[in-house]
Amino acid sequence: MKDIIEQFIQICGSAHVIIREEDRLKYASDYTENLVFMPELVVIPGNVDEISAVMKLCHQYDITVTPRGAGTGLSGGSLPVKGGIVLSTERLNKILDIDQENFQATVEPGVINEVFRNAVEAEGLFYPPDPASKGSCFLGGNIAHNSGGPKAVKYGVTRDYVLNLEVVLPDGTILWTGSDTLKNSTGYALTHLFIGSEGTLGIVTKIVFRLIAKPPHDLLLLASFSDALAACRTVSAVFLKGVVPSAVELMEKSAMQLSAHYLNESFDFSESAQAYLLIEVDGFDPDKLMDDCAKISDVLDAFGAEEVLFADTAAQKEKLWKIRRAIGEKVKAHSIYKEEDTVVKRAFLPELLSGVKEIGSKYGFESICYGHAGDGNLHVNIIKKDMPEELWNGPHLKEGIREIFRLCRKLGGTISGEHGIGYVQKEYMDEAFSVVHLHLMQSIKKVFDPKGILNPGKMIPDDLG
Ligand code: LAC
Ligand code: ZN
């Protein structure tokens, strides 16, 4: 091992090979529950050639490698569950090119989502995918999980903006997966195979994104409902009116309250409210946006919204978004939780929410729910609080989670909308796929990584039956 560490140091430099336990600790967890898996070593290469050299070495000596971006993941994808090294992409943090003429940009994977969106906005361009963690998550992690975010409802997810990827394969080979063109009908779509593959097939080292023009105007409103299911029913009615909002977020009152509380933001919660809808419209024509808001108001009235607050200033908009975006983090300040990233067909959202609550009563767990209602994507935070460890990780709660996933399937959905499978959801993959399907996935993994050294123990269940 000593000799191998020496070789990592030769490749990356001694400052970028982390040996001391207290320094490695930072790479032992992400945002998933309270899970901690200590890497034996952390290497932080500075460019694609160093990553390739690291992978060649690991391939030669059968060393397990877990790639890691910013560590904001919610399914444990970056946890070194099988030991070995963590390979951090944090030094690959450059925006290499913004090609205004072609509406494209080329970036490294360690660029923070918000840094990138601000840079392209300065050029009048727009990169829509905006996960709640946009202020800290890396674009490489967004690729790994095919991240969404509030704007996905109108603009689509990460996948819809990726044209081409440079990747390093587990044996160290450097490869471009596709072409920088807007159209491409040439062979298997390897680019799209890598998107959402959670660092199990290769390490993304460059990304070519397609961009769109930045819509200059937006309007935001917040509606309260005394009946959370009425809020859910409102969502598809808005679309049926012919409006496509740029965000339709549902928040149970408890979610919003915890977020506001831990952010120290004052907010006047109405006594009777059970849930809130945060709805944004954006575009190029202010009159059209006013018209959209009038249609949305009609729907809100028809579905019994209690109060509707229009955010008239930038500061008000910012405050509402801040409260919404911080929910995931702030619920954690209240209690450890298991995050179930449920997703169903949009019109079935009421059945999903009511079903989750019924399953919670049956299995004895409390849940705090919120999410991207316009996509039928509901984040279900199962709260641990004082639940004893043996119950928290025991078969009873797992059965309850299975029941939630079965409900998702019944409602035309699946088990993750945007957080991925990673470590914590892999045991439920049989709810989403047949054995044949899972074997196909395993075979694909073997083609790219025959030695099984890259992010092992993720996505595909341990026992396929
Ligand atoms: C959100 C993250 C948790 O929507 O996906 O807040
Ligand atoms: Zn989300």
Side-chain angles (χ1 to χ4, degrees), residues 74 131-132 148-150 249 324 339 341 370-372 377 379 418-419:
L74 288 157
E249 298 287 305
R324 162 60 190 92
E339 160 85 53
D341 179 29
Y370 67 99
H372 317 291
N377 185 192
H379 300 320
E418 57 173 22
H419 296 165

Side-chain angles (χ1 to χ4, degrees), residues 69 89-94 107-113 137-140 204-205 207:
T89 59
E90 68 200 64
R91 289 175 64 214
L92 278 79
N93 59 2
K94 285 180 284 301
V107 304
E108 293 186 323
V111 174
I112 291 174
N113 177 297
C137 64
F138 288 175
L139 291 165
V204 171
T205 46
I207 308 157

Side-chain angles (χ1 to χ4, degrees), residues 23 36 49 55 58 60 66 77 107 130 132 134 202 210 220 225 296 341 343 352 356 419 440:
D23 299 331
V36 178
D49 293 324
M55 287 315 301
C58 292
Q60 185 183 347
T66 303
V107 304
D130 61 340
K134 67 178 179 177
R210 124 187 135 77
L220 185 67
F225 290 81
I296 292 169
D341 179 29
V343 60
L352 176 63
V356 163
H419 296 165
L440 271 176

Side-chain angles (χ1 to χ4, degrees), residues 18-28 38-40:
I18 313 291
I19 300 168
R20 286 184 354 163
E21 189 176 344
E22 57 267 47
D23 299 331
R24 280 182 281 135
L25 194 58
K26 168 175 156 203
Y27 299 88
M38 237 353 209
E40 290 164 59

Side-chain angles (χ1 to χ4, degrees), residues 356-409:
V356 163
K357 296 297 171 186
E358 272 167 33
I359 294 166
S361 310
K362 180 171 158 195
Y363 286 86
F365 63 78
E366 180 198 341
S367 64
I368 295 180
C369 298
Y370 67 99
H372 317 291
D375 289 323
N377 185 192
L378 188 72
H379 300 320
V380 178
N381 290 179
I382 299 177
I383 302 297
K384 180 172 190 294
K385 263 207 211 142
D386 307 325
M387 199 186 285
E389 206 57 37
E390 61 273 19
L391 272 184
W392 181 242
N393 285 314
H396 182 72
L397 185 56
K398 284 181 197 286
E399 193 48 39
I401 293 170
R402 264 189 189 277
E403 214 164 294
I404 292 177
F405 289 149
R406 279 188 201 129
L407 175 66
C408 290
R409 294 284 285 156

Side-chain angles (χ1 to χ4, degrees), residues 409 414 429-430 432-444 460-461 464:
R409 294 284 285 156
T414 191
M429 281 286 264
D430 59 332
F433 299 114
S434 68
V435 174
V436 172
H437 202 141
L438 291 171
H439 274 290
L440 271 176
M441 287 194 186
Q442 193 181 49
S443 304
I444 290 170
I460 297 166
L464 293 191

